[in-house]
Structure formats: C-alpha cells, structure tokens
C-alpha cells in the first residue's frame, strides 16, 4: 500500500474538524466546502482498495497494542462531539474520561517505524510531487489550502483596547512605547507579572528575513526584522553541586499569542449557545480584551521567575510587537532563538530598556542581561513552547542536538548541530508527535508549504525519530487536545531516553483552558522538572507512572475543564 493510501485514512472527520477550526483562516466557508469536496473525491480515488475492503481501520480509535476503549462520550468545549473514553474511578465514582483518538494506522504487514519513516521531510515533499502531478487543479488546491500560512499572515491585536503599546513592529521603535510588566499591575488587571518589573528588560534583537518573504512578499534580499519581548531575571536555581546558578527558560508562545496584549479578568473564553446547544468561542478583541489566554500565560512567566529562573519571551515573527510578515515558519522561529542567545552574549544587534528607562545597546546591553557572560553556549537553558511554540522547540532541539537542517528551503541541507548548553525541552499542547498522528489534511497543507511556499510549519518525522537524543523532555497536554492522537504523545514520550515526564489533564488543547487547579498543577510539575534536571536527579520526583494508554488517562488529576466538570451545572451559567 502506498503512502498516499496511508496518509489519507479517515479523511471526512478531520477535514470537517480542520475547516471548523479555521485551518484555512482567511478563506470563506464556501471555499472550505469546495476544498473539502475536491479533496474527498481525490481521497476516494486513491483509497479504493481500502474502501473495498470495508475500511476496517477507519473504525479504530487506538492501535492494537493499546487497551480497547470502554465507551464513547460527549465532549463539549472544544469538540462538540463524541470521542472515545476509558472508565476512570475517582473517589469510588466512575467517569468516562475522553481522549483524542488515533486515525492513521500502518497497513497490515508494514515493516519499519511507520510514524517516522512515512512522514519525514523527504516523504512530505514526495507527497507534494505526487499530488501536484495529478494536474493543475490538484496543485492549485494544495497551494490554496496552504495560502493562509504561506503568504503574508500576521497577528496584531496589541493596542486595540489601549493605544499605549500599539507600535509599527516593522519599523524602528522607541522601546519605551512597549508595555512593561508593571503595566499589567493596574486595575482591573492586577496581574502578578507586574511584581517582576524591577527585574525586567524590554529586549530587541535583529534577525534576517526568510526566503518565503523575499520570494512571495517582495521583501528585499538582505532585509532584517526586529523581534521584541521581555527578559526577566531570576535569583538562580541550585545545580548538581548545590551552587546557585542562573538558568534561562526561553518561552515560545502559541500561535496568535502576543506577550503584551490585554485580557480583562471579567471576560470569558466561551458562551453557551441555547440555539445550537454548543459552547461557542467568544471573538476577541472586544472593548476590554485584546486576546484571551495571555493573562494566564503571563502567570507561567511569573511562576518560573519566582522559582529562580530567568525567563525570555520574544513575540515570534509576525506576532504582536515583533516584525516579520509570516507568522508560520517554525524553522525560522527556531533559528531566532539562537540568534537572540548570540546577541545576548555579544551585544551585536541587541537593544534593551531597563526598568529605570535607560536604553542600552551593544556590550552594555549584553552585560545588563548576562552579567558579562560572552559565550552563548555556556549559559544553561531550557526551551519551552506551547502549541505552535512546541513545534518551534522541536525544530530548535533538533538543530542543537542532531543536525542544523533546512526544512524550509527548496533543497534542504544538513550541517553539524549547534551545541548550546540546553538542559531540556518543554512541550505544552505539543504538536511534536508529527503528521502521522494528526489529520490527513495537515499533511497535505504541509506538503504545499514546504515545496511551494518554502515554509516549514509542523515537525516532520525526523523530530520524533531523534527525540531520544534530547537530554530531558517534559510534555503536557489536554486529553482531548485537537493537536493529534493521545497515543501519539505517548509514543513520543516513550522514545525519550533521558529524564522525562508526561502530564495529561482533563481538558482541550490550550494549557490556559484547563481551569485554575489544573493550571496550578501543571506549573508545579513543570518547575519541579526543571529543578530536578538542574540538580542532576536520576529521575523526576512525583512524576506519574504508566505502562499503557489506559493507565496514562488514569494518571490525569481529577480536575476537569469547566464545561466538562460533572460537578458543575450544565450549561454553565
């Protein structure tokens, strides 16, 4: 059976899901329908052998090595449909705890590492060649499907509620016009992050434009962008000798997230629609909130600094206060991490503003951040990312430990790994499991992105293949996260050879939507993990233990995302 047959397993459910969740964000619903119908006809033509055999694989929810599911159960936010579940007993009461199913399976008799071998960069590009060779209509469909991420796409809501903080990110900027942590201490926000303002710096680093921008957006070759965000100093954490050392956690936010956007504590993520009988997401920005979720996300920064870690969060290219015209190229966003680290050490192309309003450049800026450390490869670092940020971390860890690979260029080349002092990778709402464990439509879009637009978005199979070479890995996700199969996350985790922990929570995709108890639990586990790695532990204290998919689901704390909480009224008031 060819890879074309394999990757388009179970297309109907996931094409509908991805249209509903805005895979093609800027296209009309009519366009969604046209893309779906054309793709479905193509899928049916390629999968006739499977369909004629009864399409038995499409009825599976987990692989044959996983315990069979106990039931199907209704999931509200943000699925609004049924998912498979295992029965879990909490305090003597049985609950159906749902999780994201597996949809792609190796064909019978397949030899090899299916979820790696069939989804490498080379195989994705091969898929595009086969796909586009079917004729202009099919090639155009793939290109159009990828257009919203391959052409100019930016997220710019900062400054829509309060004009202070609104800048032109693609021009020269006075750093005093960027919101600092103390801005969020005033009412009604009253965020903890404001307490860290004395230790905080607004930072700006310079990075090169991408081939995608040069070729498709008329950006002159040799152009650069300025990336901006916050660097917050911590008090240090203990290393294996018991000495306190400075350790940096580089945080890469998810897609659309802007680090200095406003969220009112009185606004909600969703409302219950009494007509559709569904929980529906509220659209932002509005009069009081620029972006939902950023308030909780800033608290992750606060908790890490409170625990002693330095924290860096630059808005990614095409997001918020950072320049750039394409918000999707996770390869370039990964490279930007190392460009920033080099700037912190050398002072080259670096500008910072201190808490007392001083603007520093060059060596003075470097000394303010890193106290004179001039070797970027010596500073101890963790890379942490959520959702799209996890893809960025996946690429960055690959570049650092395996090979510096041009996944976004027409002819990918490999060079030796970077070799920075990275202690571990932290993957929240992870997408690193790769395209084999996610939807068929994502693979089609990725093929067009890489081959036509020179953008790499999701991690290809190489990242999962080589995760065993990372020194330590922390993974956390919601059980019914739409990023892909829970079984895929377990597969990813089981490939890790170093220190590791996997946390699953009873909630959807975003780590900010789990509810206060789950968020607190996740923050505590993440910080404990980093401290254990730094002190040279042989294992992670308190980490959940499990041997299969059922036991993994059973390891989830008995706290539910609000719309699914059996102890709360339905619908929520």
């Amino acid at each position: 059976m060819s890879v074309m047959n394999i990757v388009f397993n179970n297309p109907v459910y996931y094409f509908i899901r991805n249209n509903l969740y805005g895979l093609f964000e800027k296209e009309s619903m009519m366009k969604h329908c046209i893309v779906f119908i054309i793709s479905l006809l193509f899928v049916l033509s390629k999968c006739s052998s499977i369909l004629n055999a009864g399409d038995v694989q499409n009825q599976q929810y987990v692989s044959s090595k996983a315990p069979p599911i106990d039931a199907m159960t209704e999931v509200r936010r943000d699925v609004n449909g049924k998912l498979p579940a295992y029965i879990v007993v909490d305090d003597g009461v049985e609950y159906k705890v749902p999780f994201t199913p597996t949809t792609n399976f190796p064909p019978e008799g397949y030899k090899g590492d299916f979820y790696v071998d069939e989804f490498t960069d080379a195989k994705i590009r091969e898929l595009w060649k086969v796909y586009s060779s079917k004729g202009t209509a099919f090639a155009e469909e793939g290109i159009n499907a990828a257009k919203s991420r391959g052409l100019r796409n930016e997220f710019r809501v900062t400054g829509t509620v309060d004009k202070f903080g609104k800048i032109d990110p693609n021009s020269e900027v006075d750093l005093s016009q960027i919101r600092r942590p103390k801005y969020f201490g005033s009412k009604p926000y009253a965020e903890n992050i404001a307490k860290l303002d004395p230790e905080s710096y607004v930072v700006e680093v310079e990075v090169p434009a991408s081939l995608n921008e040069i070729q498709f957006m008329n950006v002159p070759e040799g152009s650069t962008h300025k990336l901006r965000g916050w660097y917050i100093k911590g008090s240090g954490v203990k290393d294996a000798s018991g000495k306190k050392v400075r350790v940096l956690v580089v945080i890469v936010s998810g897609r659309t997230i802007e680090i200095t956007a406003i969220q009112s504590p009185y606004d909600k993520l969703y409302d219950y629609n009494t007509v559709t009988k569904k929980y529906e997401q509220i659209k932002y920005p509005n009069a009081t909130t620029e972006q939902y979720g950023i308030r909780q996300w800033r608290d992750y920064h606060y908790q890490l600094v409170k625990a002693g870690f330095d924290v860096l969060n630059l808005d990614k290219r095409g997001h918020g206060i950072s320049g750039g015209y394409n918000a999707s190229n996770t390869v370039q966003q990964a490279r930007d991490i190392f460009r920033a680290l080099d700037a912190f050490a050398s002072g080259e192309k670096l500008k910072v503003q201190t808490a007392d309003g001083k603007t520093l450049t060059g060596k003075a800026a470097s000394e303010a951040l890193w106290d004179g450390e001039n070797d970027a490869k010596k500073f101890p670092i963790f890379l942490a990312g959520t959702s799209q940020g996890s893809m960025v971390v996946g690429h960055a860890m690959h570049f650092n430990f395996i090979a510096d690979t041009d996944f976004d260029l027409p002819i990918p080349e490999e060079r030796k790994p970077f070799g920075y002092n990275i202690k571990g990778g932290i993957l929240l709402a992870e997408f690193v499991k790769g395209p084999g464990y996610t939807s068929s439509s994502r693979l089609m879009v990725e093929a067009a992105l890489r081959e036509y637009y020179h953008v790499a978005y999701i991690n290809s199979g190489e990242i999962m293949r080589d995760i065993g070479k990372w020194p330590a890995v922390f993974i956390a996700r919601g059980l019914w996260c739409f990023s892909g199969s829970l079984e895929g996350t377990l597969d990813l985790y089981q490939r890790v050879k170093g220190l590791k922990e996997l946390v699953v929570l009873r909630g959807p995709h975003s780590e900010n939507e789990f509810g206060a108890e789950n968020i607190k639990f996740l923050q505590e586990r993440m910080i404990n993990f980093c401290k254990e790695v730094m002190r040279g532990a042989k294992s992670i204290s308190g980490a959940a233990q499990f041997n299969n998919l059922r036991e993994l689901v059973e390891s989830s704390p008995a706290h539910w995302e609000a719309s699914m909480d059996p102890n709360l009224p339905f619908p929520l008031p």
Side-chain angles (χ1 to χ4, degrees), residues 487-502:
E487 199 169 7
T489 302
L490 179 58
D491 183 4
L492 184 72
Y493 169 81
Q494 289 173 332
R495 294 168 186 262
V496 179
K497 294 181 173 62
L499 286 175
K500 61 182 178 179
E501 182 171 0
L502 171 55

Side-chain angles (χ1 to χ4, degrees), residues 454-526:
H454 313 314
V455 167
Y457 185 57
I458 60 177
N459 296 150
S460 50
E462 291 91 340
I463 311 305
M464 185 165 72
R465 179 194 67 197
D466 293 320
I467 196 170
K469 297 177 183 177
W470 302 12
V473 183
F474 179 89
I475 306 172
R477 61 163 281 166
L479 285 172
W480 51 92
C481 171
F482 65 72
S483 73
S485 148
L486 180 65
E487 199 169 7
T489 302
L490 179 58
D491 183 4
L492 184 72
Y493 169 81
Q494 289 173 332
R495 294 168 186 262
V496 179
K497 294 181 173 62
L499 286 175
K500 61 182 178 179
E501 182 171 0
L502 171 55
V503 174
V504 293
L505 301 159
R506 298 180 191 179
H509 177 64
S510 172
E511 77 293 329
N512 294 318
E513 299 179 30
F514 297 154
E517 290 174 302
N518 275 332
I519 289 174
K520 183 174 184 292
F521 178 80
L522 174 51
Q523 290 174 342
E524 288 172 351
R525 294 309 310 163
M526 181 174 72

Side-chain angles (χ1 to χ4, degrees), residues 191-204:
E191 294 182 30
N192 283 328
I193 195 75
K195 300 173 187 176
L196 303 179
D197 197 77
E199 293 77 47
S200 299
Y201 298 80
V202 175
V203 298
E204 179 183 270

Side-chain angles (χ1 to χ4, degrees), residues 21-294:
Y21 284 101
L23 179 62
F24 317 123
E25 293 111 321
K26 298 181 181 179
E27 303 291 334
S28 67
M29 186 56 70
M30 181 62 72
K31 180 65 176 180
H32 291 183
C33 294
I34 292 170
V35 168
F36 170 73
I37 291 167
I38 294 174
S39 300
L40 181 56
L41 291 173
F42 176 60
V43 167
L44 293 175
S45 72
K46 297 303 294 181
C47 297
S48 58
S49 60
I50 296 177
L51 293 170
N52 291 336
D55 207 8
V56 175
Q57 286 186 324
N58 286 349
Q59 309 308 311
Q60 289 183 238
Y61 297 104
V62 296
S63 70
S64 58
K65 66 182 179 182
I69 68 168
D70 294 328
M72 299 294 290
T73 192
E74 197 75 25
V75 179
R76 296 163 188 159
R77 171 71 196 162
D78 57 358
V79 173
N80 288 309
K82 287 192 173 183
L83 289 181
Y86 288 123
I87 301 295
V88 177
V89 179
D90 296 332
D91 295 328
V93 180
E94 290 188 347
Y95 296 98
K96 296 176 184 177
V97 180
F99 60 92
T100 312
T102 302
T103 55
N104 294 318
F105 300 92
E108 187 175 351
Y110 183 87
K111 303 295 184 184
D113 190 346
F114 174 75
Y115 294 103
V116 166
D117 297 343
E118 299 301 335
F119 302 93
T120 61
D121 177 71
K123 282 295 180 79
I124 291 171
R125 292 173 187 271
E126 178 185 320
L127 172 63
W128 171 252
K129 290 169 186 173
V130 173
Y131 186 73
S132 58
S133 70
K134 295 300 175 182
T136 304
F138 287 109
E140 284 301 314
E141 183 212 336
I143 292 167
N144 287 335
K147 185 180 294 184
S148 65
R149 288 182 178 142
L151 295 182
R152 182 168 181 169
N153 63 109
E154 303 170 65
F155 299 98
R156 312 286 191 196
V157 298
T158 300
T160 54
V161 170
D162 180 357
K163 294 303 179 186
F164 177 74
K166 185 176 180 63
I167 62 169
D168 177 359
N170 289 307
S171 67
E172 292 298 320
V173 171
D174 179 350
L175 297 187
S176 68
Q177 298 306 303
I178 292 174
R179 297 166 180 166
R180 295 182 54 84
K182 68 180 179 182
Y183 172 89
F184 300 95
S186 58
K187 293 183 178 180
Y189 313 113
E191 294 182 30
N192 283 328
I193 195 75
K195 300 173 187 176
L196 303 179
D197 197 77
E199 293 77 47
S200 299
Y201 298 80
V202 175
V203 298
E204 179 183 270
V205 297
E206 192 170 339
V207 299
S210 68
L211 175 63
N212 165 266
E213 293 169 310
I214 294 166
Q215 183 166 332
F216 292 98
M217 286 162 254
N218 297 317
V219 173
E221 193 166 355
S223 297
T224 60
H225 303 304
K226 305 289 180 62
L227 306 185
R228 306 175 184 93
W230 295 342
Y231 190 110
I232 310 176
K233 284 186 177 181
S235 59
V237 296
K238 290 183 179 179
D239 65 9
S241 69
K243 177 185 175 183
K244 258 195 173 183
V245 295
R246 288 182 62 191
V247 182
L248 172 62
V249 180
V250 179
I251 293 181
V252 188
S253 302
R255 188 169 180 81
T256 79
I257 293 296
E258 304 177 30
I259 187 58
T260 62
I262 292 170
Q263 179 188 337
S264 167
Y266 305 113
D267 283 331
K268 299 186 298 182
L269 176 62
Y270 53 74
D271 269 328
Y272 185 72
N273 186 318
T274 57
V275 176
T276 64
K277 308 296 184 185
K278 296 177 180 179
Y279 286 102
E280 296 178 355
Q281 189 157 323
I282 297 171
K283 292 183 179 181
Y284 291 105
N286 64 4
T288 51
T289 288
E290 293 170 345
Q291 184 173 73
Y292 191 90
I294 189 60

